Amino acid sequence: QVQLVESGGGLVQAGGSLRLSCAASGSIFSNNRMAWYRQAPGKQRELVAAITSGGSTNYADSVKGRFTISRDNAKNTVYLQMNSLKPEDTAVYYCNAKQWRYGTTYDYWGQGTQVTVSS
C-alpha cells in the first residue's frame, strides 16, 4: 500500500503562483510514475503532468510552459509548481502514484487539494 498526502492548495489571484506537494509513504517501488490530475466541477478528471522514476515528464497542452512537475526521490515527494495561474486552472488537484511489479499495476490516489484562481 502507498499513502499520498497532498498540500499547498489555496486561493490565488490570476497570474499568481502556487506549489503543490505530494508526500508518498508505504511500499514504494523503484519503477513508478507520479502524476497530478485535476477535476473541475462538472468536468472529467484530467492529467495535468506526470514524471517517471527516471525523470521523464509530460504535460497537458493547457499547462505547458506554466507548470513544472518535479520529484525528490530521497523524500518520496513530488511537486507541481504552478505559475501564471488562470481562472480555468481552478479545480481539485489529485496526486496519483502508479507502479509496476511482476506484471501487476498498482494505482493510488491522494485525497485532493483545492486550487482556486480568482479573476
Side-chain angles (χ1 to χ4, degrees):
Q1 281 286 353
V2 172
Q3 294 77 43
L4 303 173
V5 179
E6 301 115 330
S7 61
L11 173 64
V12 64
Q13 287 189 330
S17 298
L18 283 175
R19 189 176 84 152
L20 306 183
S21 299
C22 172
S25 61
S27 301
I28 298 166
F29 304 155
S30 58
N31 185 16
N32 64 67
R33 187 200 78 164
M34 302 294 294
W36 289 95
Y37 286 75
R38 67 186 180 187
Q39 187 166 19
K43 295 189 177 182
Q44 288 189 326
R45 190 172 297 190
E46 63 174 355
L47 176 68
V48 175
I51 184 167
T52 67
S53 48
S56 297
T57 60
N58 66 285
Y59 296 91
D61 288 343
S62 59
V63 307
K64 282 180 182 176
R66 300 188 298 122
F67 291 10
T68 302
I69 190 170
S70 61
R71 61 190 292 166
D72 184 335
N73 290 330
K75 296 182 178 180
N76 289 325
T77 299
V78 63
Y79 305 97
L80 185 68
Q81 178 66 43
M82 304 186 293
N83 298 328
S84 302
L85 282 160
K86 304 175 181 180
E88 51 263 44
D89 295 317
T90 295
V92 178
Y93 284 70
Y94 296 92
C95 181
N96 171 260
K98 195 182 297 291
Q99 51 189 17
W100 301 269
R101 177 172 281 186
Y102 306 128
T104 300
T105 300
Y106 300 85
D107 208 14
Y108 304 97
W109 293 90
Q111 80 285 355
T113 185
Q114 177 70 46
V115 171
T116 302
V117 184
S118 63
S119 57

